[in-house]
């Protein structure tokens, strides 16, 4: 019996891209439903009643939410081309760094992105410290798990794209090749990888979206 | 063989309790090392340089940080005895989501019942009870969140029960009257030796909270 796989997502979400890439790496066919988060579909609210967030993967009518949980679900359901390492310790490290990426790294990058000019130096300190930790993880490796793309690369994928968007909007260089040779190299390899590169959302739309968002935050932060 | 297992922990840590329960469920022999929070040892900084928190599970010299990650590690390494996560991928995903809910809601809101004041505290108490009610809904008529068997979500959640006395005393509210089903599940779970031996004494947890309140300047 043919499996039915649906992915509810938005056009720009880096979280959703994790799943798009994972399904592509596994060669799984699926239907995409694009959501407008200001006007959520009844289906989405039915499948994710607690948070109403995307992405949601629906496999034969059963919904799975939260992108990192979905990644593990995809990996455990379709066992070929494994994304996570088999060794329990290596697996734990992968989960740890994925959490770090979402909790610490993302927050610090975002704080830098929305910081007022006078606060940028301070915001940059934490962002750079976190980047150094990720840089360490990539030493001696093309991708996070070695020669091939895996779970952690997908988990950090949002970063590969967002860094260049931030750098263009803010006119600064955050991940320069001298300070972060391994991270720069990873970004290049990842962005250009065949499975990955065709999935990026349109760059001009992303620039506009984030520029508008940044302006809103800066306007809200400015004392009247 | 189990290898060398060390648990770097703090008596009142609900996250540490998760690992104590799991190791007991699996019958793993380990060395328990107590951190004297809020002061932290150089060893802790060495084992968990990024977050500097307990618990840290150290297996054959290799540290695993973050309780839910360490919990899954324990379940995977000692998979033969008392499996905590189900084998079906969909059920595993649900278990992971609910454990995440416990961290996002029960922990965060529970903390506010003693660390916040005034309106913020009142709002936290209300949302905390709502979160427990959502969990009661998920439990349904099952004896455990894991179904017939005590499982991953049960282990993730039960340690918070030892903090209820502290939440109730600091927040001036009664959890049992609002969430009797939850308390029934908690008492059922406490009948397991792995749980009763691993959970901190609620009075000692309360004493610890008073130390924390002083440390963070919460009156």
């Amino acid at each position: 019996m043919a499996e039915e796989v649906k992915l509810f997502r938005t056009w720009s979400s880096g979280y959703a891209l994790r799943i798009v890439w994972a399904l592509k790496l596994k060669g799984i066919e699926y239907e995409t439903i694009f959501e407008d988060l200001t006007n959520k579909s009844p289906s989405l609210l039915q499948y994710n009643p607690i948070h109403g967030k995307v992405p949601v993967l629906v496999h034969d009518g059963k919904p799975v939410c939260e992108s990192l949980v979905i990644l593990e679900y995809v990996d455990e359901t379709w066992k070929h081309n494994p994304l996570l390492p088999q060794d329990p310790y290596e697996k734990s490290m992968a989960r740890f760094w994925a959490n770090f990426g979402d909790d610490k790294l993302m927050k610090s990058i975002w704080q830098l992105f929305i910081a007022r000019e006078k606060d940028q130096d301070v915001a940059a300190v934490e962002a750079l410290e976190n980047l150094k930790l990720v840089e360490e993880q990539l030493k001696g490796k093309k991708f996070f798990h070695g020669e091939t793309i895996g779970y952690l690369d997908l988990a950090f994928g949002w970063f590969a794209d967002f860094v260049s968007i931030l750098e263009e909007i803010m006119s600064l260089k955050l991940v320069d090749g001298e300070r972060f040779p391994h991270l720069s190299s990873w970004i290049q390899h990842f962005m250009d990888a065949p499975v990955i590169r065709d999935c990026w959302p349109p760059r001009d739309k992303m620039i506009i979206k984030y520029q508008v968002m940044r302006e809103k935050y800066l306007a809200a932060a400015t004392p009247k | 063989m189990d290898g060398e297992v060390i648990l770097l922990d703090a008596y009142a840590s609900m996250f540490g309790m998760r690992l104590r329960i799991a190791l007991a469920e699996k019958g793993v022999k380990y060395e328990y090392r107590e951190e004297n929070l809020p002061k932290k040892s150089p060893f802790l900084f060495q084992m968990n340089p990024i977050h500097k928190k307990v618990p840290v599970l150290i297996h054959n010299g290799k540290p695993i940080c973050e309780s839910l990650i360490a919990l899954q590690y324990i379940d995977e390494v000692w998979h033969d005895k008392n499996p905590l996560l189900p084998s079906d991928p969909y059920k595993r995903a649900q278990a992971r989501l609910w454990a995440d809910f416990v961290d996002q809601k029960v922990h965060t809101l529970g903390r506010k019942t003693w660390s916040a004041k005034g309106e913020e505290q009142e709002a936290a108490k209300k949302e905390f009870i709502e979160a427990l009610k959502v969990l009661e809904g998920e439990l349904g008529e099952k004896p455990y969140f894991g179904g017939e068997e005590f499982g991953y979500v049960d282990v993730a959640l039960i340690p918070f029960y030892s903090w209820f006395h502290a939440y109730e005393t600091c927040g001036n509210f009664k959890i049992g009257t609002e969430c009797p089903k939850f308390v029934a599940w908690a008492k059922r779970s406490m009948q397991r030796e792995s749980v009763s031996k691993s959970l901190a004494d609620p009075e000692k947890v309360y004493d610890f909270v008073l130390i924390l309140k002083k440390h963070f300047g919460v009156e």
Side-chain angles (χ1 to χ4, degrees):
Chain A
M1 197 188 81
E3 282 179 312
E4 191 197 51
V5 182
K6 294 186 191 188
L7 179 64
F8 287 79
R9 58 172 289 203
T10 59
W11 68 270
S12 60
S13 161
Y15 297 120
L17 280 177
R18 293 169 168 172
I19 317 306
V20 171
W21 290 319
L23 292 171
K24 212 170 166 185
L25 281 164
K26 303 271 188 181
I28 306 300
E29 301 220 340
Y30 65 100
E31 183 195 340
T32 300
I33 296 107
F34 283 102
E35 286 284 329
D36 168 5
L37 293 183
T38 61
N39 186 18
K40 294 175 187 178
S41 72
S43 298
L44 175 62
L45 295 171
Q46 177 201 338
Y47 287 129
N48 192 354
I50 295 184
H51 302 296
K53 286 199 233 173
V54 284
V56 180
L57 184 81
V58 183
H59 183 202
D60 289 338
K62 296 193 289 196
V64 185
C65 312
E66 296 295 315
S67 60
L68 293 180
V69 175
I70 300 172
L71 275 185
E72 296 217 32
Y73 174 81
V74 169
D75 208 30
E76 288 167 5
T77 302
W78 296 284
K79 295 190 190 336
H80 57 283
N81 298 347
L83 301 170
L84 273 163
Q86 295 300 303
D87 172 68
Y89 179 73
E90 295 303 324
K91 211 183 273 198
S92 299
M93 290 301 103
R95 288 173 178 145
F96 176 87
W97 285 106
N99 281 359
F100 176 84
D102 279 2
D103 296 340
K104 290 232 162 178
L105 181 68
M106 198 184 283
K107 283 203 178 101
S108 60
I109 300 282
W110 187 253
Q111 288 306 311
L112 173 61
F113 184 62
I114 62 170
R116 290 177 287 175
E117 209 173 323
K118 64 186 186 72
D119 299 324
Q120 276 174 20
D121 283 344
V122 171
V125 168
E126 194 176 338
L128 289 168
E129 268 168 22
N130 289 334
L131 287 174
K132 259 190 248 170
L133 292 168
V134 181
E135 169 79 10
E136 280 292 316
Q137 289 306 303
L138 283 164
K139 282 202 172 131
K141 294 185 270 183
K142 185 176 175 187
F143 296 109
F144 280 98
H145 300 288
E147 282 302 304
T148 53
I149 287 175
Y151 172 86
L152 260 185
D153 304 286
L154 304 192
F156 278 91
W158 65 269
F159 175 75
D161 194 35
F162 188 69
V163 159
S164 69
I165 288 169
L166 177 153
E167 288 177 346
E168 186 173 322
I169 292 174
M170 294 181 75
S171 303
L172 58 79
K173 190 72 184 159
L174 184 62
V175 181
D176 69 77
E178 243 185 76
R179 227 174 354 182
F180 300 107
H182 299 95
L183 201 44
S184 302
S185 178
W186 172 80
I187 290 175
Q188 251 183 314
H189 284 132
F190 186 76
M191 293 287 285
D192 288 339
V195 171
I196 305 297
R197 67 173 174 231
D198 296 331
C199 305
W200 296 115
R203 190 179 166 79
D204 47 358
K205 264 181 97 174
M206 289 286 273
I207 296 277
I208 293 171
K209 174 194 161 100
Y210 282 104
Q211 215 153 26
V212 167
M213 218 186 264
R214 184 165 181 257
E215 276 156 24
K216 277 205 183 115
Y217 273 98
L218 289 174
T222 309
K224 303 270 185 294
Chain B
M1 274 311 299
D2 290 343
E4 187 200 50
V5 183
I6 299 172
L7 179 62
L8 201 53
D9 196 355
Y11 178 69
S13 162
M14 61 286 261
F15 303 109
M17 288 177 223
R18 289 170 168 173
L19 303 191
R20 287 174 234 167
I21 296 169
L23 290 166
E25 286 281 323
K26 307 284 185 172
V28 176
K29 291 201 171 14
Y30 66 98
E31 180 195 337
Y32 180 91
R33 287 198 203 168
E34 177 79 7
E35 278 290 313
N36 190 17
L37 297 183
K39 279 189 293 194
K40 294 178 181 181
S41 73
F43 186 62
L44 174 58
F45 289 137
Q46 189 195 337
M47 288 292 111
N48 191 355
I50 293 176
H51 300 299
K52 306 174 179 60
K53 286 185 187 173
V54 289
V56 183
L57 181 78
I58 307 163
H59 188 202
N60 295 328
K62 296 197 277 196
I64 299 111
C65 308
E66 295 191 23
S67 63
L68 291 180
I69 293 180
L71 195 51
Q72 290 182 78
Y73 177 83
I74 292 169
D75 203 35
E76 283 157 19
V77 171
W78 292 281
H79 52 86
D80 294 337
K81 195 167 174 211
N82 290 347
L84 298 173
L85 272 170
S87 47
D88 171 69
Y90 181 70
K91 292 188 178 145
R92 288 164 77 86
Q94 297 314 303
R96 287 178 174 132
L97 284 170
W98 284 109
D100 200 52
F101 181 87
V102 172
D103 277 1
Q104 301 292 327
K105 295 284 179 183
V106 179
H107 175 243
T108 311
L109 294 165
R111 190 189 168 94
K112 284 193 181 164
T113 64
W114 62 262
S115 67
K117 285 188 288 184
E119 269 181 45
E120 201 191 342
Q121 188 187 35
E122 289 308 306
K125 281 155 60 178
K126 195 163 160 275
E127 286 177 49
F128 178 77
I129 295 291
E130 275 165 21
L132 294 190
K133 288 197 167 144
V134 169
L135 285 163
E136 282 183 327
E138 168 57 20
L139 181 66
E141 299 308 312
K142 306 193 297 283
Y144 301 109
F145 286 92
E148 291 304 311
E149 301 295 332
F150 189 73
Y152 184 76
V153 179
D154 303 279
V155 176
L157 182 55
I158 191 61
F160 289 88
Y161 185 59
S162 67
W163 279 65
F164 277 16
H165 169 60
Y167 295 156
E168 286 175 326
T169 313
C170 297
N172 192 27
F173 69 127
K174 284 270 173 262
I175 300 169
T177 40
E178 303 259 17
C179 307
K181 249 185 147 174
F182 188 94
V183 173
W185 160 81
K187 290 190 167 153
R188 188 180 307 126
S189 300
M190 289 290 287
Q191 283 169 6
R192 291 180 85 82
E193 200 182 340
S194 64
V195 177
S196 57
K197 288 215 156 123
S198 304
L199 256 53
D201 179 292
E203 281 298 337
K204 293 199 172 135
V205 171
Y206 177 62
D207 291 341
F208 177 66
V209 168
L210 293 178
I211 294 172
L212 286 180
K213 279 171 74 118
K214 209 170 164 188
H215 180 79
F216 289 114
V218 182
E219 139 252 310

